[in-house]
């Protein structure tokens, strides 16, 4: 039995296990269907254990996390990281290049300047914004595959995996479920991330509802696929009659004005997280490029 704060919310339905966990500043809920409840529960707890482990490793806010260690020392010297984290950073850098920098994990200085780090947000003065802009850019994140190290080419740089870490954790949890032979499951992280394994109990696609701001309800049918939503209203403030959201355009340093929300579906949760962030910044004009550059992925913008 896991020692983690995994909540057993198992229903009375035969063959169905429900587990929940608070991690990564969100609530994860896992539903697994199958004929062996004991095996399913063990697999589900191991999957959620992995999410908690990754929260401890990837958190921007934990003083003991690997990400904090990188942010403190990588401007002075190359920092060696374990293989899984190094591979994640490589994937993030590749996604940054593919989105023209609209998705960029080095956005942390901008989030600080706009006071979205452990705060409710505020418009920065021009000096603070200029300094933050100069410290952002995935091309200045130097990754050395020979030594599994990361270094920052500019002082003041910092990475924040908030737009990718949750998706990566969900992918890893689903990998564990598959390794245990689970063939039917749904894992979601509150209102922004969903990943499904197999078909729903009735044999059809899992039906996932979404009500975007200012728009009518949508329904996505998922089977062995993921959905991620990036929305400005998730964290926002009003100043001088204008609403500023927490989705920053790393290229300009400004809050995005291209979309209120964007949703992306596809095989991987990490990619869906990154691409929904990019799509909310680049707007609907980028949809044809997304579909061409990322086969199997599609998006919607409101």
């Amino acid at each position: 039995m896991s020692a983690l704060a995994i909540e057993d919310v198992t229903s009375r339905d035969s063959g169905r296990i429900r587990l929940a966990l608070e991690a990564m500043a969100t609530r994860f809920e896992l539903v697994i269907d199958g004929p062996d409840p004991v095996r399913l529960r063990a697999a589900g707890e191991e999957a959620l254990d992995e999410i908690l482990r990754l929260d401890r490793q990837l958190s921007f806010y934990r003083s003991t996390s690997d990400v904090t260690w990188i942010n403190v020392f990588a401007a002075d010297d190359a920092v060696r990281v374990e293989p899984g984290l190094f591979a994640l950073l490589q994937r993030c850098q590749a996604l940054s290049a593919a989105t023209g920098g609209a998705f960029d994990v080095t956005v942390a200085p901008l989030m600080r300047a706009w006071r979205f780090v452990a705060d409710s947000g505020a418009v920065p003065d021009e000096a603070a914004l200029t300094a933050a802009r100069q410290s952002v850019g995935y091309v200045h994140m130097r990754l050395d595959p020979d030594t599994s190290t990361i270094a920052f080419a500019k002082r003041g740089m910092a990475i924040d995996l908030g737009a990718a870490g949750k998706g990566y954790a969900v992918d890893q949890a689903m990998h564990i479920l598959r390794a245990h032979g689970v063939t039917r499951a749904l894992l979601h992280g509150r209102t922004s991330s969903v990943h499904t394994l197999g078909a729903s109990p009735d044999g059809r696609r899992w039906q996932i509802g979404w009500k975007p701001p200012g728009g009518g309800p949508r329904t996505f049918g998922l089977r062995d696929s993921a959905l991620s939503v990036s929305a400005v209203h998730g964290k926002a403030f009003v100043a001088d009659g204008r609403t500023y959201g927490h989705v920053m355009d790393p290229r300009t340093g400004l809050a995005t004005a291209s979309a209120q929300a964007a949703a992306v579906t596809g095989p991987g949760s990490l990619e869906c997280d990154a691409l929904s962030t990019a799509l909310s910044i680049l707007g609907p004009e980028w949809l044809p490029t997304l579909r061409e550059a990322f086969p199997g992925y599609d998006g919607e913008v409101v």
Side-chain angles (χ1 to χ4, degrees), residues 31-55:
V31 178
I32 317 175
D33 278 281
D36 187 344
V38 174
R39 179 179 64 86
L40 294 181
R41 186 183 304 278
E45 289 188 349
E46 185 178 337
L48 294 186
D49 283 355
E50 178 65 3
I51 290 176
L52 191 57
R53 183 190 74 81
L54 290 170
D55 183 20

Side-chain angles (χ1 to χ4, degrees), residues 234-260:
K235 192 173 185 180
F237 67 93
V238 177
D240 297 325
R242 178 179 173 183
T243 300
Y244 295 89
H246 71 294
V247 180
M248 293 288 115
D249 186 340
R251 304 164 306 166
T252 65
L254 303 177
T256 180
S258 297
Q260 287 297 306

Side-chain angles (χ1 to χ4, degrees), residues 213-229:
R218 271 84 156 165
T219 300
F220 297 89
L222 303 182
R223 179 170 182 165
D224 290 314
S225 58
L227 163 68
S228 178
V229 173

Side-chain angles (χ1 to χ4, degrees), residues 67 70-71 74-75 77-79 81 85-97 103-109 134-145 149-155 157-161 164:
V67 165
I70 290 169
N71 289 340
D77 199 2
V79 175
V81 297
L85 177 53
F86 187 80
L88 171 59
L89 294 171
Q90 286 182 308
R91 289 173 67 187
C92 288
Q93 194 168 57
L95 285 163
S96 293
F103 165 78
D104 190 338
V105 296
T106 71
V107 74
Q134 293 173 348
S135 300
V136 172
Y138 70 94
V139 295
H140 305 302
M141 184 173 69
R142 305 292 167 78
L143 301 176
D144 186 342
T149 58
I150 175 174
F152 294 151
K154 291 189 174 185
R155 292 208 167 272
M157 286 186 67
I159 60 173
D160 181 353
L161 295 174

